[in-house]
Amino acid sequence: MDVLSQLQRQLADFLASLYREGFVDDQFTQLQKLQDESSPDFVMEVVSLFFEDCEKLVNNMAKVLEQQVVDFKQVDSHVHQLKGSSSSIGAARIRNVCIAFKTFCEAQNREGCLRCLQQVNHEHAQLKANLQSLFTLERQIVAAGGSVPAMQ
Amino acid sequence: MANTSSFSSSPSTKFSFDEKPHVLAVDDNLIDRKVIERLFINSTCKVTTAENGKRALEYLGLADGQHPNHNDLKVNLIITDYSMPGMTGYELLKRIKESPTMKEIPVVVVSSENIPTRINQCMQGGAQEFLLKPLQLSDATKLRCHIKKAITRGVCRRR
């Protein structure tokens, strides 16, 4: 197998594993479908925005949760934002943590919220690393003269 | 680029069928705005985004103290998130439907939550449709067909 085919095979396998392990879902596929010659970096741009947004929200939530009296409505509103964004880009694991997170907000459970926050951080880091690997592979393919294969 | 006409302009104004439909997308979430924008651009529409109801009304010339500027503005579809700070998508919908100049524009409400009372409220309020987030390419394609039909009908219904 030449280098290009190997890379393409690697990409396909890697992508398949991301879906299989629930890191991304069908909505991520939708994003990829939206990427074309007129918007060749669309996925990367949206994903970058998402990670920035996620970090900001997590920092805000951490601040609110360390107050003497926690404003759970505020935390909930941030979780709602994060749930929406993660859902829109297909970040399935993060979205799922948000679902549990919301329940803890409604129950005004600080410990539960803090645990979820930690989980969000963890999933954020993992997804970031995974998507960075994905984009690197894509760049290598393009550099080797190929085009990114059509998704599922 | 000059717009040729809107539904409320004089009967003698020409209407170009080749012109891209113009969608106004309202959502307080930046990522959602980006995705919706791309969805509609890829469905060959022109897109303007607004981050909340107030900005949307300002754009449409419907904000308090504004004079409607409908002669220049052509919007074929408004798509708005339901949950937004300050003014909900429902409240925005009502304001648009109360406007003599803008009430003909179809308004689609989107929400991440599937709440029947909310859906009913919006449909009763005059929404064209209520869709669940996240939106997909098929949603944009379907809406674009609606726009095309509405444009054609609009021309025939010239006052």
Side-chain angles (χ1 to χ4, degrees):
Chain A
M1 240 198 268
D2 61 290
V3 172
L4 183 57
S5 302
Q6 267 185 312
L7 285 172
Q8 283 171 330
R9 180 52 173 277
Q10 240 187 303
L11 177 67
D13 288 345
F14 185 62
L15 201 50
S17 73
L18 292 184
Y19 282 98
R20 206 170 42 239
E21 289 164 36
F23 284 104
V24 295
D25 63 22
D26 185 57
Q27 192 58 20
F28 188 71
T29 318
Q30 289 287 318
L31 282 194
Q32 289 174 317
K33 284 187 182 157
L34 289 175
Q35 186 164 287
D36 59 21
E37 315 80 46
S38 68
S39 62
D41 298 315
F42 176 69
V43 181
M44 195 160 23
E45 282 165 11
V46 178
V47 161
S48 301
L49 277 174
F50 170 72
F51 286 132
E52 267 172 38
D53 194 47
C54 185
E55 214 172 294
K56 208 167 48 179
L57 287 169
V58 165
N59 287 337
N60 288 342
M61 288 191 268
K63 286 203 189 93
V64 178
L65 283 166
E66 63 189 42
Q67 300 301 313
Q68 275 270 319
V69 180
V70 176
D71 182 352
F72 284 101
K73 272 215 154 129
Q74 240 207 321
V75 183
D76 183 83
S77 139
H78 291 320
V79 176
H80 182 84
Q81 284 282 311
L82 186 58
K83 180 162 165 262
S85 310
S86 54
S87 177
S88 293
I89 70 154
R93 284 201 187 183
I94 295 177
R95 190 200 69 232
N96 289 339
V97 176
C98 288
I99 293 172
F101 205 152
K102 261 195 162 255
T103 317
F104 285 120
C105 285
E106 281 152 26
Q108 310 218 335
N109 182 334
R110 190 210 286 249
E111 283 312 308
C113 285
L114 286 170
R115 273 201 308 273
C116 284
L117 198 59
Q118 241 187 334
Q119 259 187 297
V120 168
N121 268 331
H122 174 75
E123 292 302 340
H124 171 137
Q126 277 211 292
L127 184 62
K128 200 168 185 178
N130 279 327
L131 291 182
Q132 264 161 5
S133 302
L134 185 76
F135 295 141
T136 303
L137 267 173
E138 287 183 348
R139 271 198 300 273
Q140 286 174 329
I141 287 172
V142 171
S147 59
V148 177
M151 302 303 160
Q152 303 199 13
Chain B
M1 187 178 249
N3 287 313
T4 47
S5 84
S6 66
F7 292 128
S8 46
S9 50
S10 62
S12 57
T13 312
K14 272 206 164 63
F15 194 94
S16 164
F17 286 98
D18 299 324
E19 208 171 278
K20 287 185 185 179
H22 183 197
V23 177
L24 174 64
V26 192
D27 199 314
D28 62 310
N29 188 310
L30 174 60
I31 283 109
D32 286 346
R33 281 203 301 279
K34 276 246 128 181
V35 175
I36 288 188
E37 183 184 50
R38 196 78 240 155
L39 273 173
F40 281 101
I41 288 178
N42 278 25
S43 301
T44 58
C45 293
K46 186 180 115 163
V47 183
T48 300
T49 59
E51 60 185 0
N52 57 44
K54 183 162 170 275
R55 292 259 185 276
L57 288 176
E58 279 166 12
Y59 182 77
L60 293 168
L62 298 181
D64 299 326
Q66 267 185 315
H67 293 297
N69 191 20
H70 54 272
N71 288 316
D72 292 312
L73 188 64
K74 183 199 76 155
V75 174
N76 302 108
L77 175 75
I78 298 169
I79 181 156
T80 178
D81 189 21
Y82 182 92
S83 312
M84 294 187 292
M87 187 189 296
T88 64
Y90 173 71
E91 285 159 353
L92 176 61
L93 164 70
K94 294 295 283 173
R95 288 288 290 266
I96 292 164
K97 292 303 165 186
E98 279 159 17
S99 155
T101 53
M102 299 287 163
K103 65 179 182 194
E104 297 288 321
I105 306 175
V107 181
V108 172
V109 181
V110 301
S111 174
S112 53
E113 294 162 296
N114 189 352
I115 301 173
T117 47
R118 177 182 287 187
I119 299 172
N120 284 334
Q121 182 197 43
C122 291
M123 297 312 287
Q124 298 285 345
Q128 171 86 8
E129 221 171 319
F130 187 101
L131 296 175
L132 286 180
K133 274 170 144 178
L135 289 186
Q136 306 200 317
L137 208 47
S138 54
D139 294 315
T141 313
K142 187 174 68 171
L143 288 177
R144 202 201 175 296
C145 282
H146 283 329
I147 299 174
K148 253 237 140 112
K149 285 194 199 135
I151 290 175
T152 318
R153 268 202 311 273
V155 171
C156 297
R157 217 176 42 215
R158 196 52 74 212
R159 292 179 207 97

